[in-house]
Amino acid sequence: MKLRVLGCYGGNIPGHGMTAFLVNDAISLDAGWVSGALSLKEQVRVKDILISHSHLDHTCSLPFLIDNNFSAPGFALRIYAIPEVIASMKNHLFNNHTWPDFTCLPNDLTPVLKLVEIAPEEPFEINGLTIRAVHVSHIVPTTGFILEDRKGAIAFSSDTGPTERFWEVVNTVKRLRAVITETSFPNELQELANVSGHMTPGTLEIELRKLKTDVPVYLYGGKPKHLEKIKRQIRGLKDDRLKMFVQGRTYRF
Ligand SMILES: [Zn+2]
């Protein structure tokens, strides 16, 4: 499985895009920085997007991705998410106020956008990948995703504080190649991390005791203002599994 990091930060400053990972050139895992990272030619190839939750740092490039490619021949996008997240996108994003409702444009029969509801932990297939959404613990309804092909699997927690079910499911995944999880704030902002459903390096250290498979753990989601401190504290954990994602880099699992 090929994964290109389009953006891996919990905020946006020059050179720092928000959470979006391009899988096998055609599926985007969250969409915080798709139109900001891909050329128009690359954007047309993105057909399917998995959305973990409604927060803007995971969704904000969707309106522009669709707008950029609206008239491109054959362009159509399917967005997969749990019903609560789909409802939020209908009500607050594609609501004809914030942005046009592309689920009925150019017409109801052949819309450029389809919002597809998925059920937690029920596998579905896209382009040879088997995908499962698993609930995590954030301040809005959120799922991580487990993506599997014939060679292996990766598990993406999305934004979460301490959580249980995600790790239970991850521990049952065969041929797990990597875990992707978040560290948004430094330890000094533990209180803020707690109330906003995020992790610090301190939370992460405790959380990773729940992971029973010895695989690399890639980190995303750092708030740009606190990145250097977060990196220093992650190094301080002296855990060889931990790696910070690098924006623009392609990983193979
Ligand atoms: Zn969030």
Side-chain angles (χ1 to χ4, degrees):
M1 204 181 311
K2 181 175 159 192
L3 181 144
R4 177 172 160 194
V5 177
L6 305 181
C8 54
Y9 301 100
N12 181 217
I13 57 172
H16 297 67
M18 293 166 288
T19 309
F21 308 113
L22 185 65
V23 178
N24 295 342
D25 300 316
I27 301 171
S28 191
L29 190 47
D30 277 334
W33 205 241
V34 181
S35 55
L38 297 181
S39 68
L40 285 174
K41 212 170 161 186
E42 291 169 321
Q43 288 178 30
V44 178
R45 295 185 63 189
V46 179
K47 307 285 187 201
D48 299 284
I49 300 196
L50 308 170
I51 293 291
S52 64
H53 67 299
S54 57
H55 281 160
L56 282 177
D57 55 333
H58 294 249
T59 58
C60 71
S61 69
L62 287 172
F64 310 110
L65 179 66
I66 298 167
D67 197 56
N68 284 344
N69 297 288
F70 184 68
S71 57
F75 180 79
L77 206 62
R78 289 174 293 266
I79 293 179
Y80 302 79
I82 53 171
E84 299 94 313
V85 176
I86 295 285
S88 179
M89 283 193 286
K90 275 184 186 162
N91 294 332
H92 304 297
L93 192 56
F94 299 109
N95 59 4
N96 285 327
H97 291 273
T98 310
W99 208 246
D101 178 5
F102 281 107
T103 62
C104 47
L105 292 171
N107 57 65
D108 287 338
L109 290 178
T110 55
V112 77
L113 173 64
K114 281 190 181 147
L115 298 174
V116 184
E117 291 187 353
I118 54 171
E121 302 192 26
E122 235 168 65
F124 59 100
E125 301 232 343
I126 307 174
N127 285 355
L129 290 183
T130 303
I131 299 162
R132 273 181 292 169
V134 184
H135 275 298
V136 293
S137 308
H138 195 32
I139 46 169
V140 291
T142 303
T143 65
F145 290 100
I146 293 166
L147 287 73
E148 300 181 76
D149 65 11
R150 266 184 252 138
K151 287 186 185 165
I154 58 173
F156 166 61
S157 75
S158 191
D159 289 5
T160 187
T163 197
E164 299 303 327
R165 183 62 188 155
F166 176 75
W167 298 116
E168 282 173 18
V169 175
V170 165
N171 286 331
T172 67
V173 174
K174 294 191 180 78
R175 299 188 303 275
L176 183 68
R177 300 282 185 251
V179 168
I180 301 165
T181 192
E182 68 128 293
T183 320
S184 294
F185 294 108
N187 290 332
E188 289 79 357
L189 296 177
Q190 185 67 55
E191 201 58 34
L192 180 55
N194 293 347
V195 297
S196 59
H198 283 298
M199 290 200 275
T200 63
T203 328
L204 179 71
E205 184 180 25
I206 297 165
E207 205 55 14
L208 285 180
R209 290 177 197 153
K210 300 172 188 169
L211 174 62
K212 304 300 179 198
T213 319
D214 186 20
V215 290
V217 176
Y218 292 89
L219 303 175
Y220 81 94
K223 301 291 178 189
K225 190 179 169 63
H226 305 295
L227 272 182
E228 289 313 311
K229 203 173 259 185
I230 293 170
K231 281 182 193 168
R232 218 169 33 242
Q233 293 175 354
I234 292 292
R235 281 197 298 274
L237 295 179
K238 300 197 184 309
D239 183 334
D240 291 340
R241 294 174 296 176
L242 297 178
K243 299 163 198 312
M244 303 295 290
F245 255 153
V246 177
Q247 181 168 320
R249 194 172 284 180
T250 297
Y251 299 78
R252 288 173 196 278
F253 299 112

